[in-house]
Amino acid sequence: MDNKNFAIILVVVIVFLVVVSAVGVFYFLSPDSSDSMKNETFDNVVISVPSNVNFAKNDLNIYEDMIKGISIYTYTTGTDKSFIEELIRSEPILNNLTEINITNLSSNAKAFKWGQDENMTTIIVINDEKNKAVFIVSVYDRDLAVKMANSVVFK
């Protein structure tokens, strides 16, 4: 009888740990868990990003967080107004982007969706002088992309 009780207790403890782990993983991976934000600098551009993400700069100078599906491209050095204008003109064509209207987006930003995917969003933010730009790409959460784009500060 003692072995049977021990086995039952062991099974209950294992089930409890599995449930707690599953809830923790879901919370960590959920795009909606981005309520807490922090300011982070990307090549002289300050952007408010979710506190629970860690960006890594890849070989193409793109900052990425693969868990949340967020990428940040910065164009802040060696650029001028004509370069940024061409970038904004050509990027939607090259990547099959469709411009979308987002009412609460700042006036110096444009938003695009990727093909038929309603969630995958690119927002291009340019500075007032129109010689610097940042692209924010979010795979899962358009509202998060808008929140990040509205926080962009060029140094």
Side-chain angles (χ1 to χ4, degrees), residues 30-37 47-53 55 65 68-70 119 121 123 136-151:
S30 171
D32 295 330
S33 65
S34 59
D35 293 338
S36 176
M37 304 290 275
I47 303 173
S48 186
V49 299
S51 320
N52 60 346
V53 299
F55 286 93
D65 178 80
K68 291 285 192 180
I70 303 169
N119 291 321
T121 306
I123 299 179
I136 298 172
V137 180
S138 177
V139 176
Y140 306 116
D141 190 342
R142 179 171 293 159
D143 292 335
L144 176 59
V146 171
K147 188 185 243 185
M148 290 172 59
N150 285 337
S151 76

PDB file of all heavy atoms in Angstrom, residues 30-37 47-53 55 65 68-70 119 121 123 136-151:
ATOM      1  N   SER A  30       3.950  33.824 -25.671  1.00  0.00           N
ATOM      2  CA  SER A  30       2.756  34.535 -26.119  1.00  0.00           C
ATOM      3  C   SER A  30       3.084  35.962 -26.533  1.00  0.00           C
ATOM      4  O   SER A  30       3.697  36.710 -25.782  1.00  0.00           O
ATOM      5  CB  SER A  30       1.722  34.565 -24.990  1.00  0.00           C
ATOM      6  OG  SER A  30       0.666  35.420 -25.329  1.00  0.00           O
ATOM      7  N   PRO A  31       2.642  36.379 -27.755  1.00  0.00           N
ATOM      8  CA  PRO A  31       2.877  37.762 -28.159  1.00  0.00           C
ATOM      9  C   PRO A  31       2.185  38.763 -27.241  1.00  0.00           C
ATOM     10  O   PRO A  31       2.601  39.898 -27.140  1.00  0.00           O
ATOM     11  CB  PRO A  31       2.272  37.831 -29.563  1.00  0.00           C
ATOM     12  CG  PRO A  31       2.162  36.433 -30.030  1.00  0.00           C
ATOM     13  CD  PRO A  31       2.029  35.597 -28.791  1.00  0.00           C
ATOM     14  N   ASP A  32       1.117  38.364 -26.570  1.00  0.00           N
ATOM     15  CA  ASP A  32       0.383  39.279 -25.718  1.00  0.00           C
ATOM     16  C   ASP A  32       1.080  39.541 -24.395  1.00  0.00           C
ATOM     17  O   ASP A  32       0.618  40.356 -23.611  1.00  0.00           O
ATOM     18  CB  ASP A  32      -1.020  38.718 -25.439  1.00  0.00           C
ATOM     19  CG  ASP A  32      -1.833  38.645 -26.714  1.00  0.00           C
ATOM     20  OD1 ASP A  32      -1.597  39.488 -27.604  1.00  0.00           O
ATOM     21  OD2 ASP A  32      -2.684  37.760 -26.822  1.00  0.00           O
ATOM     22  N   SER A  33       2.200  38.869 -24.137  1.00  0.00           N
ATOM     23  CA  SER A  33       2.885  39.066 -22.865  1.00  0.00           C
ATOM     24  C   SER A  33       3.866  40.235 -22.936  1.00  0.00           C
ATOM     25  O   SER A  33       4.818  40.293 -22.197  1.00  0.00           O
ATOM     26  CB  SER A  33       3.606  37.785 -22.452  1.00  0.00           C
ATOM     27  OG  SER A  33       4.634  37.507 -23.366  1.00  0.00           O
ATOM     28  N   SER A  34       3.608  41.175 -23.829  1.00  0.00           N
ATOM     29  CA  SER A  34       4.546  42.261 -24.055  1.00  0.00           C
ATOM     30  C   SER A  34       4.112  43.557 -23.384  1.00  0.00           C
ATOM     31  O   SER A  34       4.469  44.623 -23.830  1.00  0.00           O
ATOM     32  CB  SER A  34       4.704  42.478 -25.561  1.00  0.00           C
ATOM     33  OG  SER A  34       3.454  42.789 -26.128  1.00  0.00           O
ATOM     34  N   ASP A  35       3.332  43.465 -22.317  1.00  0.00           N
ATOM     35  CA  ASP A  35       2.849  44.675 -21.656  1.00  0.00           C
ATOM     36  C   ASP A  35       3.971  45.476 -21.039  1.00  0.00           C
ATOM     37  O   ASP A  35       3.963  46.692 -21.075  1.00  0.00           O
ATOM     38  CB  ASP A  35       1.814  44.316 -20.587  1.00  0.00           C
ATOM     39  CG  ASP A  35       0.541  43.764 -21.196  1.00  0.00           C
ATOM     40  OD1 ASP A  35       0.291  44.041 -22.381  1.00  0.00           O
ATOM     41  OD2 ASP A  35      -0.178  43.076 -20.479  1.00  0.00           O
ATOM     42  N   SER A  36       4.948  44.817 -20.456  1.00  0.00           N
ATOM     43  CA  SER A  36       6.061  45.501 -19.825  1.00  0.00           C
ATOM     44  C   SER A  36       7.099  45.840 -20.895  1.00  0.00           C
ATOM     45  O   SER A  36       7.567  44.966 -21.611  1.00  0.00           O
ATOM     46  CB  SER A  36       6.672  44.599 -18.759  1.00  0.00           C
ATOM     47  OG  SER A  36       7.789  45.195 -18.197  1.00  0.00           O
ATOM     48  N   MET A  37       7.426  47.119 -21.009  1.00  0.00           N
ATOM     49  CA  MET A  37       8.330  47.561 -22.067  1.00  0.00           C
ATOM     50  C   MET A  37       9.600  48.160 -21.466  1.00  0.00           C
ATOM     51  O   MET A  37       9.605  48.622 -20.329  1.00  0.00           O
ATOM     52  CB  MET A  37       7.635  48.600 -22.955  1.00  0.00           C
ATOM     53  CG  MET A  37       6.326  48.140 -23.583  1.00  0.00           C
ATOM     54  SD  MET A  37       6.512  46.892 -24.842  1.00  0.00           S
ATOM     55  CE  MET A  37       6.846  47.918 -26.274  1.00  0.00           C
ATOM     56  N   ILE A  47      14.162  52.569 -29.154  1.00  0.00           N
ATOM     57  CA  ILE A  47      12.842  51.987 -29.385  1.00  0.00           C
ATOM     58  C   ILE A  47      12.401  51.289 -28.106  1.00  0.00           C
ATOM     59  O   ILE A  47      13.180  50.584 -27.473  1.00  0.00           O
ATOM     60  CB  ILE A  47      12.863  50.973 -30.545  1.00  0.00           C
ATOM     61  CG1 ILE A  47      13.391  51.635 -31.831  1.00  0.00           C
ATOM     62  CG2 ILE A  47      11.475  50.383 -30.781  1.00  0.00           C
ATOM     63  CD1 ILE A  47      13.595  50.679 -32.982  1.00  0.00           C
ATOM     64  N   SER A  48      11.147  51.475 -27.766  1.00  0.00           N
ATOM     65  CA  SER A  48      10.567  50.770 -26.636  1.00  0.00           C
ATOM     66  C   SER A  48      10.175  49.371 -27.108  1.00  0.00           C
ATOM     67  O   SER A  48       9.401  49.224 -28.046  1.00  0.00           O
ATOM     68  CB  SER A  48       9.341  51.537 -26.133  1.00  0.00           C
ATOM     69  OG  SER A  48       8.849  50.963 -24.958  1.00  0.00           O
ATOM     70  N   VAL A  49      10.741  48.358 -26.455  1.00  0.00           N
ATOM     71  CA  VAL A  49      10.532  46.959 -26.842  1.00  0.00           C
ATOM     72  C   VAL A  49      10.046  46.169 -25.631  1.00  0.00           C
ATOM     73  O   VAL A  49      10.217  46.597 -24.486  1.00  0.00           O
ATOM     74  CB  VAL A  49      11.835  46.332 -27.398  1.00  0.00           C
ATOM     75  CG1 VAL A  49      12.306  47.074 -28.640  1.00  0.00           C
ATOM     76  CG2 VAL A  49      12.933  46.293 -26.351  1.00  0.00           C
ATOM     77  N   PRO A  50       9.439  44.995 -25.857  1.00  0.00           N
ATOM     78  CA  PRO A  50       9.009  44.177 -24.714  1.00  0.00           C
ATOM     79  C   PRO A  50      10.188  43.825 -23.812  1.00  0.00           C
ATOM     80  O   PRO A  50      11.282  43.539 -24.292  1.00  0.00           O
ATOM     81  CB  PRO A  50       8.436  42.915 -25.370  1.00  0.00           C
ATOM     82  CG  PRO A  50       8.058  43.346 -26.747  1.00  0.00           C
ATOM     83  CD  PRO A  50       9.061  44.395 -27.136  1.00  0.00           C
ATOM     84  N   SER A  51       9.951  43.872 -22.518  1.00  0.00           N
ATOM     85  CA  SER A  51      11.026  43.596 -21.554  1.00  0.00           C
ATOM     86  C   SER A  51      11.563  42.181 -21.644  1.00  0.00           C
ATOM     87  O   SER A  51      12.699  41.940 -21.288  1.00  0.00           O
ATOM     88  CB  SER A  51      10.552  43.787 -20.118  1.00  0.00           C
ATOM     89  OG  SER A  51       9.753  44.862 -19.964  1.00  0.00           O
ATOM     90  N   ASN A  52      10.734  41.268 -22.109  1.00  0.00           N
ATOM     91  CA  ASN A  52      11.149  39.865 -22.096  1.00  0.00           C
ATOM     92  C   ASN A  52      11.764  39.411 -23.418  1.00  0.00           C
ATOM     93  O   ASN A  52      11.818  38.225 -23.693  1.00  0.00           O
ATOM     94  CB  ASN A  52       9.973  38.962 -21.734  1.00  0.00           C
ATOM     95  CG  ASN A  52       8.819  39.088 -22.701  1.00  0.00           C
ATOM     96  OD1 ASN A  52       8.754  40.008 -23.503  1.00  0.00           O
ATOM     97  ND2 ASN A  52       7.883  38.163 -22.625  1.00  0.00           N
ATOM     98  N   VAL A  53      12.263  40.353 -24.247  1.00  0.00           N
ATOM     99  CA  VAL A  53      12.935  39.956 -25.479  1.00  0.00           C
ATOM    100  C   VAL A  53      14.412  40.325 -25.413  1.00  0.00           C
ATOM    101  O   VAL A  53      14.798  41.261 -24.724  1.00  0.00           O
ATOM    102  CB  VAL A  53      12.302  40.591 -26.743  1.00  0.00           C
ATOM    103  CG1 VAL A  53      10.863  40.177 -26.913  1.00  0.00           C
ATOM    104  CG2 VAL A  53      12.426  42.087 -26.750  1.00  0.00           C
ATOM    105  N   PHE A  55      17.369  40.967 -28.202  1.00  0.00           N
ATOM    106  CA  PHE A  55      17.708  41.096 -29.608  1.00  0.00           C
ATOM    107  C   PHE A  55      19.166  40.723 -29.832  1.00  0.00           C
ATOM    108  O   PHE A  55      20.031  41.048 -29.031  1.00  0.00           O
ATOM    109  CB  PHE A  55      17.469  42.533 -30.089  1.00  0.00           C
ATOM    110  CG  PHE A  55      16.024  42.858 -30.240  1.00  0.00           C
ATOM    111  CD1 PHE A  55      15.324  43.445 -29.201  1.00  0.00           C
ATOM    112  CD2 PHE A  55      15.352  42.566 -31.410  1.00  0.00           C
ATOM    113  CE1 PHE A  55      13.987  43.744 -29.325  1.00  0.00           C
ATOM    114  CE2 PHE A  55      14.007  42.859 -31.551  1.00  0.00           C
ATOM    115  CZ  PHE A  55      13.323  43.449 -30.508  1.00  0.00           C
ATOM    116  N   ASP A  65      14.695  39.054 -32.671  1.00  0.00           N
ATOM    117  CA  ASP A  65      14.304  38.205 -31.552  1.00  0.00           C
ATOM    118  C   ASP A  65      13.405  37.140 -32.147  1.00  0.00           C
ATOM    119  O   ASP A  65      12.268  37.425 -32.539  1.00  0.00           O
ATOM    120  CB  ASP A  65      13.554  38.987 -30.476  1.00  0.00           C
ATOM    121  CG  ASP A  65      13.117  38.058 -29.355  1.00  0.00           C
ATOM    122  OD1 ASP A  65      13.950  37.729 -28.498  1.00  0.00           O
ATOM    123  OD2 ASP A  65      11.952  37.628 -29.376  1.00  0.00           O
ATOM    124  N   LYS A  68       9.808  36.091 -30.228  1.00  0.00           N
ATOM    125  CA  LYS A  68       8.651  36.960 -30.444  1.00  0.00           C
ATOM    126  C   LYS A  68       8.414  37.257 -31.921  1.00  0.00           C
ATOM    127  O   LYS A  68       7.398  37.840 -32.279  1.00  0.00           O
ATOM    128  CB  LYS A  68       8.833  38.291 -29.702  1.00  0.00           C
ATOM    129  CG  LYS A  68       8.764  38.165 -28.219  1.00  0.00           C
ATOM    130  CD  LYS A  68       7.341  37.976 -27.785  1.00  0.00           C
ATOM    131  CE  LYS A  68       7.252  38.147 -26.292  1.00  0.00           C
ATOM    132  NZ  LYS A  68       5.910  37.974 -25.814  1.00  0.00           N
ATOM    133  N   GLY A  69       9.369  36.923 -32.777  1.00  0.00           N
ATOM    134  CA  GLY A  69       9.213  37.177 -34.199  1.00  0.00           C
ATOM    135  C   GLY A  69       9.311  38.645 -34.554  1.00  0.00           C
ATOM    136  O   GLY A  69       8.533  39.156 -35.352  1.00  0.00           O
ATOM    137  N   ILE A  70      10.280  39.345 -33.973  1.00  0.00           N
ATOM    138  CA  ILE A  70      10.466  40.777 -34.221  1.00  0.00           C
ATOM    139  C   ILE A  70      11.842  41.005 -34.834  1.00  0.00           C
ATOM    140  O   ILE A  70      12.837  40.471 -34.358  1.00  0.00           O
ATOM    141  CB  ILE A  70      10.373  41.591 -32.912  1.00  0.00           C
ATOM    142  CG1 ILE A  70       9.043  41.351 -32.207  1.00  0.00           C
ATOM    143  CG2 ILE A  70      10.572  43.078 -33.190  1.00  0.00           C
ATOM    144  CD1 ILE A  70       9.001  41.906 -30.803  1.00  0.00           C
ATOM    145  N   ASN A 119      -1.252  39.255 -39.906  1.00  0.00           N
ATOM    146  CA  ASN A 119      -0.483  39.523 -38.691  1.00  0.00           C
ATOM    147  C   ASN A 119       0.933  39.996 -38.964  1.00  0.00           C
ATOM    148  O   ASN A 119       1.498  40.746 -38.181  1.00  0.00           O
ATOM    149  CB  ASN A 119      -0.439  38.276 -37.802  1.00  0.00           C
ATOM    150  CG  ASN A 119      -1.786  37.977 -37.215  1.00  0.00           C
ATOM    151  OD1 ASN A 119      -2.517  38.875 -36.831  1.00  0.00           O
ATOM    152  ND2 ASN A 119      -2.147  36.706 -37.177  1.00  0.00           N
ATOM    153  N   THR A 121       3.548  42.227 -40.078  1.00  0.00           N
ATOM    154  CA  THR A 121       3.479  43.661 -40.324  1.00  0.00           C
ATOM    155  C   THR A 121       4.877  44.265 -40.385  1.00  0.00           C
ATOM    156  O   THR A 121       5.740  43.924 -39.586  1.00  0.00           O
ATOM    157  CB  THR A 121       2.696  44.352 -39.182  1.00  0.00           C
ATOM    158  OG1 THR A 121       1.428  43.716 -39.060  1.00  0.00           O
ATOM    159  CG2 THR A 121       2.507  45.824 -39.446  1.00  0.00           C
ATOM    160  N   ILE A 123       6.529  48.112 -40.349  1.00  0.00           N
ATOM    161  CA  ILE A 123       6.279  49.550 -40.185  1.00  0.00           C
ATOM    162  C   ILE A 123       7.593  50.269 -40.428  1.00  0.00           C
ATOM    163  O   ILE A 123       8.628  49.936 -39.843  1.00  0.00           O
ATOM    164  CB  ILE A 123       5.727  49.876 -38.786  1.00  0.00           C
ATOM    165  CG1 ILE A 123       4.387  49.155 -38.581  1.00  0.00           C
ATOM    166  CG2 ILE A 123       5.560  51.390 -38.629  1.00  0.00           C
ATOM    167  CD1 ILE A 123       3.759  49.370 -37.242  1.00  0.00           C
ATOM    168  N   ILE A 136      10.471  48.128 -38.606  1.00  0.00           N
ATOM    169  CA  ILE A 136      10.097  47.199 -37.536  1.00  0.00           C
ATOM    170  C   ILE A 136       9.209  46.146 -38.165  1.00  0.00           C
ATOM    171  O   ILE A 136       8.167  46.461 -38.739  1.00  0.00           O
ATOM    172  CB  ILE A 136       9.362  47.936 -36.406  1.00  0.00           C
ATOM    173  CG1 ILE A 136      10.285  48.991 -35.789  1.00  0.00           C
ATOM    174  CG2 ILE A 136       8.853  46.941 -35.363  1.00  0.00           C
ATOM    175  CD1 ILE A 136       9.606  49.906 -34.806  1.00  0.00           C
ATOM    176  N   VAL A 137       9.628  44.897 -38.082  1.00  0.00           N
ATOM    177  CA  VAL A 137       8.865  43.794 -38.647  1.00  0.00           C
ATOM    178  C   VAL A 137       8.415  42.902 -37.497  1.00  0.00           C
ATOM    179  O   VAL A 137       9.224  42.467 -36.686  1.00  0.00           O
ATOM    180  CB  VAL A 137       9.715  42.967 -39.642  1.00  0.00           C
ATOM    181  CG1 VAL A 137       8.895  41.815 -40.207  1.00  0.00           C
ATOM    182  CG2 VAL A 137      10.248  43.854 -40.755  1.00  0.00           C
ATOM    183  N   SER A 138       7.112  42.652 -37.437  1.00  0.00           N
ATOM    184  CA  SER A 138       6.557  41.780 -36.404  1.00  0.00           C
ATOM    185  C   SER A 138       5.758  40.674 -37.084  1.00  0.00           C
ATOM    186  O   SER A 138       4.868  40.944 -37.885  1.00  0.00           O
ATOM    187  CB  SER A 138       5.654  42.566 -35.458  1.00  0.00           C
ATOM    188  OG  SER A 138       5.077  41.698 -34.510  1.00  0.00           O
ATOM    189  N   VAL A 139       6.085  39.451 -36.758  1.00  0.00           N
ATOM    190  CA  VAL A 139       5.419  38.307 -37.362  1.00  0.00           C
ATOM    191  C   VAL A 139       4.061  38.054 -36.724  1.00  0.00           C
ATOM    192  O   VAL A 139       3.110  37.702 -37.413  1.00  0.00           O
ATOM    193  CB  VAL A 139       6.303  37.043 -37.239  1.00  0.00           C
ATOM    194  CG1 VAL A 139       5.587  35.821 -37.762  1.00  0.00           C
ATOM    195  CG2 VAL A 139       7.610  37.249 -37.976  1.00  0.00           C
ATOM    196  N   TYR A 140       3.936  38.243 -35.423  1.00  0.00           N
ATOM    197  CA  TYR A 140       2.756  37.801 -34.695  1.00  0.00           C
ATOM    198  C   TYR A 140       1.819  38.896 -34.209  1.00  0.00           C
ATOM    199  O   TYR A 140       0.641  38.637 -34.019  1.00  0.00           O
ATOM    200  CB  TYR A 140       3.168  36.988 -33.460  1.00  0.00           C
ATOM    201  CG  TYR A 140       4.080  35.838 -33.741  1.00  0.00           C
ATOM    202  CD1 TYR A 140       5.364  35.805 -33.227  1.00  0.00           C
ATOM    203  CD2 TYR A 140       3.659  34.774 -34.533  1.00  0.00           C
ATOM    204  CE1 TYR A 140       6.208  34.746 -33.483  1.00  0.00           C
ATOM    205  CE2 TYR A 140       4.496  33.710 -34.795  1.00  0.00           C
ATOM    206  CZ  TYR A 140       5.765  33.698 -34.264  1.00  0.00           C
ATOM    207  OH  TYR A 140       6.599  32.654 -34.518  1.00  0.00           O
ATOM    208  N   ASP A 141       2.314  40.089 -33.970  1.00  0.00           N
ATOM    209  CA  ASP A 141       1.529  41.044 -33.187  1.00  0.00           C
ATOM    210  C   ASP A 141       1.602  42.454 -33.777  1.00  0.00           C
ATOM    211  O   ASP A 141       2.561  43.186 -33.537  1.00  0.00           O
ATOM    212  CB  ASP A 141       2.059  41.031 -31.748  1.00  0.00           C
ATOM    213  CG  ASP A 141       1.175  41.786 -30.777  1.00  0.00           C
ATOM    214  OD1 ASP A 141       0.352  42.605 -31.208  1.00  0.00           O
ATOM    215  OD2 ASP A 141       1.342  41.553 -29.566  1.00  0.00           O
ATOM    216  N   ARG A 142       0.589  42.832 -34.545  1.00  0.00           N
ATOM    217  CA  ARG A 142       0.565  44.157 -35.176  1.00  0.00           C
ATOM    218  C   ARG A 142       0.502  45.260 -34.135  1.00  0.00           C
ATOM    219  O   ARG A 142       1.141  46.294 -34.274  1.00  0.00           O
ATOM    220  CB  ARG A 142      -0.624  44.258 -36.128  1.00  0.00           C
ATOM    221  CG  ARG A 142      -0.717  45.617 -36.795  1.00  0.00           C
ATOM    222  CD  ARG A 142      -1.750  45.663 -37.884  1.00  0.00           C
ATOM    223  NE  ARG A 142      -1.309  44.809 -38.981  1.00  0.00           N
ATOM    224  CZ  ARG A 142      -2.131  44.309 -39.889  1.00  0.00           C
ATOM    225  NH1 ARG A 142      -3.403  44.559 -39.836  1.00  0.00           N
ATOM    226  NH2 ARG A 142      -1.658  43.552 -40.851  1.00  0.00           N
ATOM    227  N   ASP A 143      -0.270  45.076 -33.073  1.00  0.00           N
ATOM    228  CA  ASP A 143      -0.379  46.107 -32.040  1.00  0.00           C
ATOM    229  C   ASP A 143       0.971  46.382 -31.389  1.00  0.00           C
ATOM    230  O   ASP A 143       1.301  47.529 -31.086  1.00  0.00           O
ATOM    231  CB  ASP A 143      -1.404  45.710 -30.971  1.00  0.00           C
ATOM    232  CG  ASP A 143      -2.829  45.704 -31.512  1.00  0.00           C
ATOM    233  OD1 ASP A 143      -3.096  46.419 -32.508  1.00  0.00           O
ATOM    234  OD2 ASP A 143      -3.662  44.987 -30.947  1.00  0.00           O
ATOM    235  N   LEU A 144       1.754  45.344 -31.185  1.00  0.00           N
ATOM    236  CA  LEU A 144       3.094  45.523 -30.624  1.00  0.00           C
ATOM    237  C   LEU A 144       3.979  46.307 -31.597  1.00  0.00           C
ATOM    238  O   LEU A 144       4.714  47.202 -31.179  1.00  0.00           O
ATOM    239  CB  LEU A 144       3.733  44.173 -30.307  1.00  0.00           C
ATOM    240  CG  LEU A 144       5.174  44.214 -29.813  1.00  0.00           C
ATOM    241  CD1 LEU A 144       5.290  45.040 -28.536  1.00  0.00           C
ATOM    242  CD2 LEU A 144       5.695  42.802 -29.599  1.00  0.00           C
ATOM    243  N   ALA A 145       3.896  46.006 -32.881  1.00  0.00           N
ATOM    244  CA  ALA A 145       4.682  46.738 -33.880  1.00  0.00           C
ATOM    245  C   ALA A 145       4.324  48.219 -33.869  1.00  0.00           C
ATOM    246  O   ALA A 145       5.200  49.078 -33.951  1.00  0.00           O
ATOM    247  CB  ALA A 145       4.457  46.136 -35.268  1.00  0.00           C
ATOM    248  N   VAL A 146       3.032  48.530 -33.746  1.00  0.00           N
ATOM    249  CA  VAL A 146       2.591  49.925 -33.697  1.00  0.00           C
ATOM    250  C   VAL A 146       3.118  50.603 -32.438  1.00  0.00           C
ATOM    251  O   VAL A 146       3.634  51.730 -32.484  1.00  0.00           O
ATOM    252  CB  VAL A 146       1.050  50.023 -33.763  1.00  0.00           C
ATOM    253  CG1 VAL A 146       0.563  51.442 -33.480  1.00  0.00           C
ATOM    254  CG2 VAL A 146       0.548  49.550 -35.119  1.00  0.00           C
ATOM    255  N   LYS A 147       3.026  49.909 -31.316  1.00  0.00           N
ATOM    256  CA  LYS A 147       3.524  50.474 -30.054  1.00  0.00           C
ATOM    257  C   LYS A 147       5.020  50.776 -30.154  1.00  0.00           C
ATOM    258  O   LYS A 147       5.483  51.835 -29.732  1.00  0.00           O
ATOM    259  CB  LYS A 147       3.265  49.462 -28.930  1.00  0.00           C
ATOM    260  CG  LYS A 147       3.531  49.954 -27.547  1.00  0.00           C
ATOM    261  CD  LYS A 147       3.342  48.810 -26.541  1.00  0.00           C
ATOM    262  CE  LYS A 147       2.235  49.080 -25.600  1.00  0.00           C
ATOM    263  NZ  LYS A 147       2.116  48.048 -24.566  1.00  0.00           N
ATOM    264  N   MET A 148       5.768  49.857 -30.751  1.00  0.00           N
ATOM    265  CA  MET A 148       7.206  50.062 -30.908  1.00  0.00           C
ATOM    266  C   MET A 148       7.489  51.210 -31.871  1.00  0.00           C
ATOM    267  O   MET A 148       8.342  52.059 -31.609  1.00  0.00           O
ATOM    268  CB  MET A 148       7.872  48.760 -31.402  1.00  0.00           C
ATOM    269  CG  MET A 148       7.890  47.666 -30.358  1.00  0.00           C
ATOM    270  SD  MET A 148       8.445  46.063 -30.995  1.00  0.00           S
ATOM    271  CE  MET A 148      10.083  46.462 -31.580  1.00  0.00           C
ATOM    272  N   ALA A 149       6.759  51.255 -32.998  1.00  0.00           N
ATOM    273  CA  ALA A 149       6.982  52.311 -33.997  1.00  0.00           C
ATOM    274  C   ALA A 149       6.675  53.690 -33.423  1.00  0.00           C
ATOM    275  O   ALA A 149       7.394  54.661 -33.703  1.00  0.00           O
ATOM    276  CB  ALA A 149       6.123  52.047 -35.227  1.00  0.00           C
ATOM    277  N   ASN A 150       5.636  53.781 -32.624  1.00  0.00           N
ATOM    278  CA  ASN A 150       5.285  55.073 -32.041  1.00  0.00           C
ATOM    279  C   ASN A 150       6.295  55.543 -30.983  1.00  0.00           C
ATOM    280  O   ASN A 150       6.287  56.697 -30.589  1.00  0.00           O
ATOM    281  CB  ASN A 150       3.877  55.012 -31.434  1.00  0.00           C
ATOM    282  CG  ASN A 150       2.806  55.029 -32.498  1.00  0.00           C
ATOM    283  OD1 ASN A 150       3.027  55.484 -33.613  1.00  0.00           O
ATOM    284  ND2 ASN A 150       1.637  54.534 -32.151  1.00  0.00           N
ATOM    285  N   SER A 151       7.159  54.643 -30.544  1.00  0.00           N
ATOM    286  CA  SER A 151       8.150  55.008 -29.518  1.00  0.00           C
ATOM    287  C   SER A 151       9.511  55.377 -30.096  1.00  0.00           C
ATOM    288  O   SER A 151      10.414  55.762 -29.356  1.00  0.00           O
ATOM    289  CB  SER A 151       8.323  53.838 -28.535  1.00  0.00           C
ATOM    290  OG  SER A 151       9.095  52.806 -29.129  1.00  0.00           O
TER     291      SER A 151
END
